[in-house]
Amino acid sequence: MADDMQDQRPLRSTDRSLPIALLRAREAVMEPVREMLSRSKISEQKWRVLRVMEEAGPVEQSVIAERACLLLPSLTRIVTAMEADGLLERAVSKEDRRKTIVTITEKGRGIIREHAPESIAMFTRLADEFGREDMDRLLDLLEKLQRMER
Amino acid sequence: MADDMQDQRPLRSTDRSLPIALLRAREAVMEPVREMLSRSKISEQKWRVLRVMEEAGPVEQSVIAERACLLLPSLTRIVTAMEADGLLERAVSKEDRRKTIVTITEKGRGIIREHAPESIAMFTRLADEFGREDMDRLLDLLEKLQRMER
DNA sequence: TATTGTTATACTCTATAACTATA
DNA sequence: TATAGTTATAGAGTATAACAATA
């Protein structure tokens, strides 16, 4: 009701602004994660790429870019560096020679394995403190939001 | 149960990874917001600073930095540029001369007013599509998360 | 001595456009 | 003509440390 009056209404408080609330929540959650990653000199972005690649299997770069929330030009640089570090391999697709198929290497998987226990422990601790049910509810809602807008 | 076995468990799917889910959700939500801001040549960060300042009234920079999710060195540059553009004013605090108190100007408020209708309309449309109740629930959970970790 | 904010620096990501090669 | 990816470039933010002024 009264949606036509919205031009006169003030903006929501920043706590109830979805973009700001998502950002603040993420910053809060990322604090210990950043601490963990910085110890092993792997950037947040590279970690996301590893996670996405391990999950998706061999994939083209556009897919990685979308799922890791990176632009293609950024991904090109990141993937080049990671290939040099032996964390992944690139190959031209046989079906479509425009595509580059990227595969995680054993060394790349090693990085994930190395951090998995601590990563899981952090999440478990957070979920316990936050409440498991609320955490599930939150993840459900985030998935729904993600799926809606595209 | 079986939390002691976590070292052997694989990581959660990226859809159920809280940091990744928060990031993807935010990217989805930000798409139209970025489109709006780019039309008026105001960066996402400056927009956050304006929002926080309007809400908080005259505040020191540390507070803005925390609430706008920016590091102090980044904020220093942003605030310098915004002061040059007449969007805010800086003054040394009388109680504690180490502190800089920043105040939004009428011109700064103008930027917010200019974008408020479109911003509210975007959110209203999104909340309708997403479901008002779910949106409230999501914002409650995000607030809770934000408050927990600090 | 600790705190607030600034400056400096190296690195990285963003955003856009232009380009190559394939389709 | 359109698409996948690369390269180039300008701008901006990140992260850290060192510093000045003040408490």
Side-chain angles (χ1 to χ4, degrees):
Chain A
M1 70 179 194
D3 278 354
D4 299 316
M5 296 294 289
Q6 64 189 217
D7 284 8
Q8 309 306 323
R9 283 186 309 212
L11 283 168
R12 303 163 71 79
S13 78
T14 56
D15 281 337
R16 305 303 280 183
S17 153
L18 189 56
I20 293 178
L22 286 165
L23 180 58
R24 287 184 184 154
R26 182 158 200 277
E27 287 303 302
V29 170
M30 284 304 290
E31 209 182 285
V33 178
R34 290 209 178 98
E35 207 281 311
M36 171 185 83
L37 294 177
S38 74
R39 266 185 276 125
S40 72
K41 310 287 184 198
I42 188 142
S43 74
E44 208 183 301
Q45 290 79 6
K46 286 180 183 174
W47 177 250
R48 286 207 302 276
V49 169
L50 286 175
R51 289 293 315 275
V52 165
M53 286 198 313
E54 193 204 28
E55 180 170 273
V59 264
E60 54 194 279
Q61 298 195 162
S62 309
V63 174
I64 300 177
E66 191 194 324
R67 298 186 54 79
C69 297
L70 289 165
L71 295 180
L72 262 179
S74 301
L75 188 67
T76 293
R77 238 177 318 101
I78 291 170
V79 162
T80 302
M82 291 175 79
E83 189 180 30
D85 288 344
L87 303 179
L88 52 81
E89 282 166 355
R90 277 195 276 197
V92 173
S93 164
K94 278 159 191 165
E95 293 120 43
D96 183 340
R97 297 180 47 75
R98 290 172 304 183
K99 294 183 182 173
T100 306
I101 304 296
V102 184
T103 311
I104 190 168
T105 61
E106 202 36 53
K107 185 174 176 190
R109 277 183 216 283
I111 303 272
I112 291 182
R113 265 197 306 272
E114 200 176 298
H115 293 290
E118 186 176 358
S119 185
I120 290 167
M122 283 188 308
F123 180 79
T124 302
R125 183 193 136 276
L126 177 62
D128 281 343
E129 214 178 311
F130 189 72
R132 301 248 179 163
E133 278 182 25
D134 273 356
M135 182 59 79
D136 281 343
R137 218 170 282 147
L138 174 57
L139 285 167
D140 287 343
L141 290 167
L142 291 173
E143 255 189 277
K144 180 180 171 189
L145 189 59
Q146 210 186 116
R147 222 167 268 145
M148 239 188 52
E149 297 259 323
R150 62 174 63 186
Chain B
M1 69 181 193
D3 278 354
D4 299 317
M5 294 295 288
Q6 64 190 218
D7 285 8
Q8 309 308 322
R9 283 187 309 212
L11 283 168
R12 303 163 70 81
S13 78
T14 57
D15 280 338
R16 305 303 280 184
S17 153
L18 190 54
I20 293 178
L22 286 166
L23 180 59
R24 286 183 184 155
R26 182 157 200 276
E27 287 303 301
V29 171
M30 284 304 291
E31 208 182 285
V33 178
R34 291 209 176 98
E35 208 280 312
M36 172 185 83
L37 294 177
S38 74
R39 267 186 274 124
S40 73
K41 310 287 184 199
I42 188 142
S43 75
E44 210 181 300
Q45 290 78 4
K46 286 180 182 174
W47 176 249
R48 285 207 302 277
V49 170
L50 286 175
R51 288 295 315 276
V52 166
M53 287 198 311
E54 194 204 27
E55 181 169 271
V59 265
E60 52 193 281
Q61 296 195 165
S62 310
V63 174
I64 300 177
E66 191 195 324
R67 298 185 54 79
C69 297
L70 289 165
L71 295 179
L72 262 178
S74 301
L75 188 66
T76 293
R77 239 177 315 100
I78 291 171
V79 162
T80 302
M82 291 175 79
E83 188 180 30
D85 287 345
L87 303 179
L88 52 82
E89 283 166 354
R90 276 196 277 198
V92 173
S93 164
K94 279 160 193 163
E95 295 120 42
D96 183 341
R97 297 178 49 75
R98 289 173 304 185
K99 293 183 181 172
T100 307
I101 304 296
V102 185
T103 312
I104 190 169
T105 61
E106 201 37 52
K107 186 174 175 189
R109 277 183 215 286
I111 303 271
I112 291 181
R113 266 199 304 273
E114 203 177 294
H115 292 289
E118 186 176 358
S119 185
I120 290 167
M122 282 190 309
F123 179 78
T124 303
R125 184 193 136 275
L126 177 62
D128 281 343
E129 215 178 311
F130 189 72
R132 302 250 179 160
E133 278 183 26
D134 274 355
M135 182 59 78
D136 281 341
R137 217 169 282 145
L138 175 56
L139 286 167
D140 288 344
L141 290 166
L142 291 173
E143 257 189 275
K144 180 180 171 189
L145 189 59
Q146 212 186 114
R147 223 166 268 147
M148 238 188 52
E149 298 258 326
R150 61 173 63 186

